Amino acid sequence: MFKLLGYKMLLSVIEERCKTKEISIPHLRNTLSAVEEIHLFIDGIKRKTDIHENCYDLGITQQCFNIANYLIPRMQEHDEYKKNVEKLVTLIRDMMKHTGHLLDDKALALTENIFIDKSGVGLLAFLNIIRHNVTLVSIIPMDLVEYLVQDYTNHGKPIYLKVLRKLCKCKKQAVPSNQNTIISALFGAQIHNRFVRVQKAAGTGNISILHENSWIPFTDLRLERYNEPYSEFLSQLDLIRNMLFGKNALGKCLIIEKYMMFSEGECVDVITNEAIDLQIRSRYVKIMIAAHIDHQIEGSAFKPRMLSYHVKRNIESVPKANDIYSTLDNWLIEYVENNTNLIIKKEEENR
Protein backbone atom coordinates (compact mmCIF):
# COMPACT_ATOMS: atom_id res chain seq x y z
CA MET A 1 0.00 0.00 0.00
CA PHE A 2 2.84 2.45 0.87
CA LYS A 3 4.44 1.80 -2.52
CA LEU A 4 1.11 2.57 -4.22
CA LEU A 5 0.87 5.85 -2.30
CA GLY A 6 4.31 6.75 -3.63
CA TYR A 7 3.18 5.98 -7.19
CA LYS A 8 0.06 8.08 -6.62
CA MET A 9 2.21 11.08 -5.66
CA LEU A 10 4.43 10.55 -8.71
CA LEU A 11 1.41 10.34 -11.03
CA SER A 12 -0.03 13.50 -9.45
CA VAL A 13 3.11 15.42 -10.50
CA ILE A 14 2.91 13.96 -14.04
CA GLU A 15 -0.81 14.74 -14.26
CA GLU A 16 -0.24 18.36 -13.24
CA ARG A 17 2.48 18.76 -15.87
CA CYS A 18 0.18 17.30 -18.52
CA LYS A 19 -2.68 19.54 -17.44
CA THR A 20 -0.55 22.69 -17.81
CA LYS A 21 1.07 21.31 -20.99
CA GLU A 22 4.46 21.92 -19.40
CA ILE A 23 5.82 18.52 -20.30
CA SER A 24 9.06 18.19 -22.25
CA ILE A 25 10.53 15.20 -24.07
CA PRO A 26 12.80 14.38 -21.08
CA HIS A 27 9.71 14.56 -18.88
CA LEU A 28 7.95 12.16 -21.22
CA ARG A 29 10.83 9.71 -20.97
CA ASN A 30 10.67 9.91 -17.17
CA THR A 31 6.90 9.39 -17.34
CA LEU A 32 7.39 6.29 -19.49
CA SER A 33 9.88 4.89 -16.98
CA ALA A 34 7.46 5.58 -14.12
CA VAL A 35 4.52 3.89 -15.88
CA GLU A 36 6.70 0.88 -16.75
CA GLU A 37 7.81 0.63 -13.10
CA ILE A 38 4.19 0.77 -11.85
CA HIS A 39 3.18 -1.88 -14.39
CA LEU A 40 6.05 -4.17 -13.38
CA PHE A 41 5.21 -3.74 -9.70
CA ILE A 42 1.51 -4.53 -10.19
CA ASP A 43 2.32 -7.41 -12.55
CA GLY A 44 4.50 -8.97 -9.86
CA ILE A 45 1.68 -9.10 -7.30
CA LYS A 46 -0.04 -12.48 -7.20
CA ARG A 47 -3.44 -11.27 -5.98
CA LYS A 48 -4.30 -9.15 -9.00
CA THR A 49 -7.88 -8.31 -8.02
CA ASP A 50 -6.79 -6.83 -4.67
CA ILE A 51 -4.02 -4.67 -6.13
CA HIS A 52 -6.25 -3.38 -8.96
CA GLU A 53 -9.04 -2.55 -6.50
CA ASN A 54 -6.52 -0.70 -4.33
CA CYS A 55 -5.37 1.27 -7.39
CA TYR A 56 -8.98 2.15 -8.13
CA ASP A 57 -9.76 3.18 -4.54
CA LEU A 58 -6.63 5.35 -4.32
CA GLY A 59 -7.47 7.12 -7.59
CA ILE A 60 -4.45 5.72 -9.45
CA THR A 61 -6.71 4.25 -12.15
CA GLN A 62 -8.33 7.63 -12.79
CA GLN A 63 -4.91 9.32 -12.87
CA CYS A 64 -3.84 6.89 -15.62
CA PHE A 65 -7.03 7.70 -17.57
CA ASN A 66 -6.46 11.43 -17.15
CA ILE A 67 -2.81 11.35 -18.24
CA ALA A 68 -3.65 9.17 -21.26
CA ASN A 69 -6.42 11.56 -22.30
CA TYR A 70 -4.06 14.54 -22.00
CA LEU A 71 -1.42 12.83 -24.14
CA ILE A 72 -3.58 11.16 -26.82
CA PRO A 73 -4.33 14.42 -28.73
CA ARG A 74 -0.56 15.06 -28.93
CA MET A 75 0.47 11.63 -30.24
CA GLN A 76 1.39 13.08 -33.64
CA GLU A 77 3.83 15.60 -32.14
CA HIS A 78 6.53 13.13 -31.12
CA ASP A 79 7.06 9.37 -30.87
CA GLU A 80 7.52 9.71 -27.08
CA TYR A 81 3.86 10.72 -26.73
CA LYS A 82 2.80 7.57 -28.57
CA LYS A 83 5.04 5.35 -26.44
CA ASN A 84 3.57 6.83 -23.25
CA VAL A 85 0.01 6.41 -24.45
CA GLU A 86 0.60 2.77 -25.43
CA LYS A 87 2.09 1.96 -22.01
CA LEU A 88 -0.70 3.79 -20.15
CA VAL A 89 -3.43 2.10 -22.18
CA THR A 90 -1.82 -1.31 -21.58
CA LEU A 91 -1.76 -0.57 -17.83
CA ILE A 92 -5.42 0.56 -17.96
CA ARG A 93 -6.32 -2.57 -19.95
CA ASP A 94 -4.90 -4.81 -17.22
CA MET A 95 -6.44 -2.79 -14.38
CA MET A 96 -9.87 -2.98 -15.98
CA LYS A 97 -9.81 -6.79 -16.05
CA HIS A 98 -10.74 -6.70 -12.37
CA THR A 99 -12.25 -3.25 -11.80
CA GLY A 100 -14.09 -2.31 -15.01
CA HIS A 101 -17.42 -3.03 -13.32
CA LEU A 102 -16.71 -0.30 -10.74
CA LEU A 103 -16.76 2.55 -13.28
CA ASP A 104 -19.98 4.58 -13.24
CA ASP A 105 -21.62 6.63 -15.98
CA LYS A 106 -19.50 9.68 -15.14
CA ALA A 107 -16.45 7.65 -16.11
CA LEU A 108 -17.64 7.25 -19.70
CA ALA A 109 -15.89 10.48 -20.67
CA LEU A 110 -12.62 8.96 -19.46
CA THR A 111 -12.94 6.08 -21.92
CA GLU A 112 -13.88 7.93 -25.09
CA ASN A 113 -10.32 8.41 -26.40
CA ILE A 114 -8.83 5.15 -25.17
CA PHE A 115 -9.51 3.04 -28.26
CA ILE A 116 -8.01 5.64 -30.63
CA ASP A 117 -4.96 3.40 -30.92
CA LYS A 118 -5.71 1.11 -33.88
CA SER A 119 -3.06 -1.43 -32.85
CA GLY A 120 -5.68 -3.21 -30.78
CA VAL A 121 -4.30 -2.40 -27.30
CA GLY A 122 -6.73 0.50 -26.92
CA LEU A 123 -9.66 -1.65 -27.99
CA LEU A 124 -8.65 -4.35 -25.51
CA ALA A 125 -8.60 -1.70 -22.78
CA PHE A 126 -12.04 -0.51 -23.86
CA LEU A 127 -13.30 -4.11 -23.93
CA ASN A 128 -12.10 -4.67 -20.37
CA ILE A 129 -13.75 -1.40 -19.30
CA ILE A 130 -17.17 -2.46 -20.58
CA ARG A 131 -16.92 -6.25 -20.17
CA HIS A 132 -18.83 -6.46 -16.86
CA ASN A 133 -20.42 -3.00 -16.75
CA VAL A 134 -24.03 -3.02 -17.98
CA THR A 135 -24.48 0.62 -16.94
CA LEU A 136 -21.69 1.86 -19.17
CA VAL A 137 -22.63 -0.41 -22.07
CA SER A 138 -26.23 0.82 -22.06
CA ILE A 139 -25.27 4.52 -22.29
CA ILE A 140 -22.58 4.26 -24.98
CA PRO A 141 -23.44 7.03 -27.50
CA MET A 142 -24.87 5.85 -30.82
CA ASP A 143 -22.20 7.69 -32.84
CA LEU A 144 -19.50 5.81 -30.92
CA VAL A 145 -21.14 2.46 -31.70
CA GLU A 146 -21.43 3.46 -35.38
CA TYR A 147 -17.76 4.51 -35.36
CA LEU A 148 -16.73 1.08 -34.06
CA VAL A 149 -18.82 -0.70 -36.71
CA GLN A 150 -17.25 1.46 -39.42
CA ASP A 151 -13.78 0.73 -38.09
CA TYR A 152 -14.51 -3.01 -38.18
CA THR A 153 -15.75 -2.86 -41.77
CA ASN A 154 -12.64 -0.86 -42.74
CA HIS A 155 -9.99 -2.84 -40.84
CA GLY A 156 -11.60 -6.24 -40.20
CA LYS A 157 -9.62 -6.97 -37.01
CA PRO A 158 -11.19 -9.67 -34.77
CA ILE A 159 -10.99 -7.42 -31.68
CA TYR A 160 -13.70 -5.20 -33.18
CA LEU A 161 -16.10 -8.15 -33.30
CA LYS A 162 -15.42 -8.85 -29.62
CA VAL A 163 -16.17 -5.23 -28.69
CA LEU A 164 -19.36 -5.12 -30.81
CA ARG A 165 -20.46 -8.42 -29.29
CA LYS A 166 -20.11 -7.02 -25.79
CA LEU A 167 -22.01 -3.86 -26.74
CA CYS A 168 -24.99 -6.03 -27.79
CA LYS A 169 -25.11 -8.19 -24.68
CA CYS A 170 -23.52 -7.61 -21.28
CA LYS A 171 -23.81 -9.91 -18.28
CA LYS A 172 -26.62 -11.92 -19.88
CA GLN A 173 -28.64 -8.77 -20.62
CA ALA A 174 -29.54 -7.60 -24.12
CA VAL A 175 -28.80 -3.93 -24.89
CA PRO A 176 -31.44 -3.20 -27.58
CA SER A 177 -30.21 0.30 -28.47
CA ASN A 178 -26.74 -1.01 -29.32
CA GLN A 179 -28.15 -4.12 -31.01
CA ASN A 180 -30.34 -1.98 -33.28
CA THR A 181 -27.52 0.42 -34.18
CA ILE A 182 -25.17 -2.44 -35.12
CA ILE A 183 -27.86 -4.40 -36.98
CA SER A 184 -28.83 -1.27 -38.96
CA ALA A 185 -25.20 -0.60 -39.88
CA LEU A 186 -24.48 -4.16 -41.03
CA PHE A 187 -27.86 -5.28 -42.37
CA GLY A 188 -29.70 -2.05 -43.28
CA ALA A 189 -30.24 -1.34 -46.98
CA GLN A 190 -28.13 -4.43 -47.75
CA ILE A 191 -25.75 -6.83 -46.02
CA HIS A 192 -22.40 -5.08 -45.66
CA ASN A 193 -19.83 -6.70 -47.96
CA ARG A 194 -17.59 -7.30 -44.93
CA PHE A 195 -20.22 -9.41 -43.25
CA VAL A 196 -21.39 -12.97 -43.68
CA ARG A 197 -23.93 -14.03 -46.29
CA VAL A 198 -25.48 -17.44 -45.74
CA GLN A 199 -27.42 -19.25 -48.47
CA LYS A 200 -29.26 -22.56 -48.58
CA ALA A 201 -29.11 -24.17 -52.02
CA ALA A 202 -32.43 -25.20 -53.53
CA GLY A 203 -32.83 -28.91 -54.03
CA THR A 204 -29.67 -30.12 -52.28
CA GLY A 205 -30.29 -28.15 -49.08
CA ASN A 206 -26.54 -27.46 -48.75
CA ILE A 207 -25.75 -24.31 -46.76
CA SER A 208 -22.85 -22.08 -47.88
CA ILE A 209 -21.25 -18.73 -47.08
CA LEU A 210 -20.16 -16.13 -49.62
CA HIS A 211 -16.44 -15.29 -49.62
CA GLU A 212 -14.77 -13.18 -52.33
CA ASN A 213 -17.61 -13.82 -54.81
CA SER A 214 -17.51 -17.59 -54.28
CA TRP A 215 -19.91 -19.75 -52.28
CA ILE A 216 -18.16 -22.08 -49.82
CA PRO A 217 -20.23 -25.01 -48.45
CA PHE A 218 -20.22 -25.29 -44.66
CA THR A 219 -18.80 -28.80 -45.05
CA ASP A 220 -15.67 -27.40 -46.80
CA LEU A 221 -14.89 -24.56 -44.39
CA ARG A 222 -12.36 -26.62 -42.41
CA LEU A 223 -10.12 -27.03 -45.45
CA GLU A 224 -6.78 -25.30 -44.89
CA ARG A 225 -7.25 -22.82 -47.73
CA TYR A 226 -10.35 -21.43 -45.97
CA ASN A 227 -8.72 -20.81 -42.55
CA GLU A 228 -9.16 -17.03 -42.72
CA PRO A 229 -12.86 -16.93 -43.77
CA TYR A 230 -13.60 -19.80 -41.35
CA SER A 231 -12.11 -17.94 -38.38
CA GLU A 232 -13.90 -14.68 -39.20
CA PHE A 233 -17.16 -16.53 -39.83
CA LEU A 234 -17.06 -18.06 -36.33
CA SER A 235 -16.50 -14.61 -34.79
CA GLN A 236 -19.33 -13.16 -36.88
CA LEU A 237 -21.65 -15.97 -35.75
CA ASP A 238 -20.84 -15.00 -32.15
CA LEU A 239 -21.79 -11.40 -32.95
CA ILE A 240 -25.01 -12.50 -34.70
CA ARG A 241 -25.98 -14.49 -31.61
CA ASN A 242 -25.63 -11.37 -29.46
CA MET A 243 -27.38 -9.13 -32.01
CA LEU A 244 -30.38 -11.49 -31.99
CA PHE A 245 -30.24 -12.19 -28.22
CA GLY A 246 -33.59 -11.61 -26.54
CA LYS A 247 -35.40 -12.18 -29.87
CA ASN A 248 -34.45 -8.69 -31.06
CA ALA A 249 -37.30 -7.45 -33.29
CA LEU A 250 -35.13 -5.53 -35.78
CA GLY A 251 -32.74 -8.48 -36.08
CA LYS A 252 -35.64 -10.81 -36.77
CA CYS A 253 -37.06 -8.40 -39.35
CA LEU A 254 -33.81 -7.86 -41.25
CA ILE A 255 -31.54 -10.87 -40.70
CA ILE A 256 -34.11 -13.67 -40.44
CA GLU A 257 -37.03 -12.42 -42.55
CA LYS A 258 -35.52 -10.03 -45.12
CA TYR A 259 -32.28 -11.93 -45.78
CA MET A 260 -33.69 -15.35 -44.81
CA MET A 261 -30.78 -16.42 -42.59
CA PHE A 262 -30.86 -18.29 -39.25
CA SER A 263 -34.51 -19.36 -39.37
CA GLU A 264 -35.62 -22.10 -36.95
CA GLY A 265 -35.48 -24.67 -39.75
CA GLU A 266 -32.02 -23.61 -40.92
CA CYS A 267 -30.70 -23.73 -37.34
CA VAL A 268 -32.03 -27.26 -36.82
CA ASP A 269 -30.64 -28.38 -40.21
CA VAL A 270 -27.14 -27.14 -39.32
CA ILE A 271 -27.21 -28.43 -35.73
CA THR A 272 -28.17 -31.95 -36.78
CA ASN A 273 -25.82 -32.22 -39.78
CA GLU A 274 -22.79 -34.17 -38.55
CA ALA A 275 -20.86 -33.39 -41.75
CA ILE A 276 -20.66 -29.73 -40.68
CA ASP A 277 -17.85 -28.61 -38.37
CA LEU A 278 -18.65 -28.82 -34.66
CA GLN A 279 -17.68 -25.19 -33.99
CA ILE A 280 -20.26 -23.96 -36.51
CA ARG A 281 -22.97 -26.29 -35.24
CA SER A 282 -22.46 -25.30 -31.62
CA ARG A 283 -22.75 -21.60 -32.55
CA TYR A 284 -25.99 -22.31 -34.39
CA VAL A 285 -27.34 -23.82 -31.16
CA LYS A 286 -26.64 -20.56 -29.37
CA ILE A 287 -28.09 -18.48 -32.22
CA MET A 288 -31.23 -20.61 -32.18
CA ILE A 289 -31.67 -20.09 -28.44
CA ALA A 290 -30.92 -16.35 -28.67
CA ALA A 291 -33.16 -15.65 -31.67
CA HIS A 292 -36.09 -18.00 -31.21
CA ILE A 293 -36.24 -18.97 -27.53
CA ASP A 294 -36.21 -16.52 -24.64
CA HIS A 295 -37.52 -18.66 -21.74
CA GLN A 296 -40.40 -16.23 -21.20
CA ILE A 297 -44.11 -16.77 -21.69
CA GLU A 298 -45.55 -14.11 -24.02
CA GLY A 299 -49.28 -14.19 -23.25
CA SER A 300 -50.83 -17.30 -24.70
CA ALA A 301 -48.52 -17.42 -27.72
CA PHE A 302 -46.98 -20.86 -27.79
CA LYS A 303 -45.89 -21.03 -31.42
CA PRO A 304 -42.23 -20.02 -30.82
CA ARG A 305 -42.03 -22.77 -28.22
CA MET A 306 -42.89 -25.39 -30.85
CA LEU A 307 -39.20 -25.30 -31.74
CA SER A 308 -38.64 -27.48 -28.68
CA TYR A 309 -40.39 -30.36 -30.46
CA HIS A 310 -38.04 -29.95 -33.46
CA VAL A 311 -35.12 -30.09 -31.04
CA LYS A 312 -36.46 -33.13 -29.20
CA ARG A 313 -37.14 -34.93 -32.46
CA ASN A 314 -33.67 -34.28 -33.85
CA ILE A 315 -31.54 -34.45 -30.72
CA GLU A 316 -30.95 -38.20 -31.04
CA SER A 317 -28.95 -37.58 -34.22
CA VAL A 318 -26.50 -35.31 -32.39
CA PRO A 319 -23.64 -37.16 -30.65
CA LYS A 320 -24.06 -36.94 -26.88
CA ALA A 321 -20.31 -36.67 -26.42
CA ASN A 322 -20.04 -33.15 -27.86
CA ASP A 323 -20.91 -29.71 -26.54
CA ILE A 324 -23.89 -29.32 -28.88
CA TYR A 325 -25.80 -32.02 -27.05
CA SER A 326 -24.77 -30.52 -23.72
CA THR A 327 -26.04 -27.08 -24.74
CA LEU A 328 -29.32 -28.46 -26.06
CA ASP A 329 -29.77 -30.77 -23.10
CA ASN A 330 -29.22 -27.91 -20.63
CA TRP A 331 -31.69 -25.78 -22.54
CA LEU A 332 -34.33 -28.52 -22.54
CA ILE A 333 -33.96 -28.96 -18.78
CA GLU A 334 -34.34 -25.22 -18.25
CA TYR A 335 -37.20 -25.07 -20.74
CA VAL A 336 -39.14 -27.80 -18.94
CA GLU A 337 -38.45 -26.28 -15.51
CA ASN A 338 -39.61 -22.81 -16.59
CA ASN A 339 -42.63 -23.92 -18.60
CA THR A 340 -43.86 -27.12 -16.96
CA ASN A 341 -47.41 -25.88 -16.39
CA LEU A 342 -47.73 -24.56 -19.94
CA ILE A 343 -46.38 -27.77 -21.45
CA ILE A 344 -48.73 -29.93 -19.34
CA LYS A 345 -51.66 -27.72 -20.39
CA LYS A 346 -50.77 -28.00 -24.10
CA GLU A 347 -50.34 -31.78 -23.81
CA GLU A 348 -53.77 -32.11 -22.15
CA GLU A 349 -55.33 -30.02 -24.92
CA ASN A 350 -53.77 -32.27 -27.55
CA ARG A 351 -55.10 -35.51 -26.05
Side-chain angles (χ1 to χ4, degrees):
M1 181 65 81
F2 288 113
K3 193 136 188 172
L4 287 180
L5 288 172
Y7 289 139
K8 178 178 172 62
M9 292 175 64
L10 177 59
L11 289 171
S12 296
V13 174
I14 295 169
E15 186 180 357
E16 190 59 34
R17 281 182 183 153
C18 292
K19 193 185 298 183
T20 58
K21 297 187 178 178
E22 294 178 359
I23 187 161
S24 63
I25 300 305
H27 284 145
L28 283 170
R29 291 188 180 122
N30 291 336
T31 301
L32 184 61
S33 297
V35 173
E36 286 175 338
E37 184 182 333
I38 294 169
H39 204 174
L40 281 171
F41 170 70
I42 291 175
D43 206 41
I45 304 294
K46 288 185 178 180
R47 299 178 66 177
K48 292 289 189 294
T49 303
D50 290 348
I51 192 71
H52 289 152
E53 286 180 354
N54 287 336
C55 287
Y56 183 86
D57 293 338
L58 289 171
I60 290 174
T61 305
Q62 176 143 350
Q63 285 178 311
C64 290
F65 271 115
N66 291 342
I67 295 168
N69 281 321
Y70 285 131
L71 298 181
I72 282 171
R74 304 183 66 179
M75 285 173 67
Q76 304 304 320
E77 294 180 24
H78 196 283
D79 194 47
E80 289 296 331
Y81 285 100
K82 189 172 187 297
K83 287 180 182 177
N84 273 272
V85 168
E86 287 174 349
K87 284 292 179 184
L88 279 162
V89 169
T90 302
L91 180 56
I92 290 168
R93 177 201 68 190
D94 292 348
M95 286 176 168
M96 290 297 101
K97 284 180 184 176
H98 303 103
T99 57
H101 64 285
L102 299 174
L103 293 179
D104 57 20
D105 55 346
K106 294 176 183 176
L108 185 61
L110 297 174
T111 72
E112 60 189 15
N113 289 326
I114 294 300
F115 53 86
I116 201 167
D117 168 30
K118 297 297 188 295
S119 70
V121 176
L123 280 166
L124 277 170
F126 187 66
L127 181 62
N128 284 343
I129 288 165
I130 65 173
R131 190 187 298 275
H132 303 298
N133 199 321
V134 180
T135 304
L136 279 185
V137 170
S138 61
I139 60 170
I140 298 287
M142 186 185 297
D143 59 348
L144 174 52
V145 180
E146 290 173 342
Y147 171 85
L148 289 166
V149 175
Q150 185 179 357
D151 257 17
Y152 164 65
T153 56
N154 289 339
H155 301 284
K157 292 181 179 177
I159 181 63
Y160 284 98
L161 288 170
K162 290 182 180 179
V163 172
L164 294 174
R165 195 162 72 227
K166 186 53 63 177
L167 290 175
C168 289
K169 175 191 170 191
C170 184
K171 293 192 76 173
K172 299 185 179 180
Q173 293 184 40
V175 186
S177 58
N178 292 343
Q179 286 177 320
N180 292 342
T181 300
I182 296 168
I183 290 167
S184 297
L186 293 172
F187 295 91
Q190 60 183 22
I191 303 176
H192 194 282
N193 58 15
R194 180 89 220 176
F195 216 74
V196 63
R197 284 171 173 78
V198 178
Q199 174 179 281
K200 186 174 182 178
T204 64
N206 292 332
I207 302 175
S208 307
I209 66 164
L210 183 64
H211 176 69
E212 294 180 351
N213 301 317
S214 298
W215 288 97
I216 308 171
F218 276 14
T219 49
D220 292 348
L221 273 172
R222 289 308 284 124
L223 298 176
E224 190 173 346
R225 65 178 181 273
Y226 296 134
N227 279 350
E228 187 177 334
Y230 169 76
S231 178
E232 185 167 18
F233 179 51
L234 292 183
S235 296
Q236 289 185 348
L237 287 177
D238 289 334
L239 175 57
I240 285 170
R241 176 192 69 203
N242 283 12
M243 286 193 292
L244 294 172
F245 182 76
K247 295 169 69 178
N248 180 278
L250 182 62
K252 182 178 180 183
C253 177
L254 291 179
I255 301 172
I256 298 174
E257 294 176 1
K258 181 179 178 179
Y259 298 116
M260 296 184 289
M261 298 191 299
F262 308 106
S263 66
E264 295 134 316
E266 180 184 304
C267 288
V268 170
D269 287 346
V270 172
I271 291 165
T272 56
N273 186 342
E274 294 184 39
I276 294 175
D277 178 66
L278 178 62
Q279 294 295 328
I280 296 173
R281 292 163 66 202
S282 63
R283 280 164 172 79
Y284 263 79
V285 170
K286 292 169 184 174
I287 288 172
M288 180 181 71
I289 292 170
H292 303 292
I293 307 159
D294 61 2
H295 307 302
Q296 296 173 11
I297 306 303
E298 299 177 357
S300 60
F302 187 70
K303 191 173 181 181
R305 304 296 182 274
M306 294 304 289
L307 182 58
S308 66
Y309 295 104
H310 288 288
V311 176
K312 289 174 183 175
R313 189 166 60 249
N314 288 286
I315 201 168
E316 289 80 9
S317 65
V318 182
K320 294 187 178 184
N322 65 43
D323 62 335
I324 292 179
Y325 180 85
S326 175
T327 304
L328 284 173
D329 197 40
N330 290 339
W331 170 74
L332 286 169
I333 291 169
E334 185 177 346
Y335 177 87
V336 172
E337 287 176 351
N338 290 349
N339 301 285
T340 299
N341 293 333
L342 183 60
I343 293 172
I344 290 171
K345 183 179 178 183
K346 295 303 294 185
E347 288 176 347
E348 288 175 349
E349 289 174 358
N350 292 333
R351 283 175 186 166

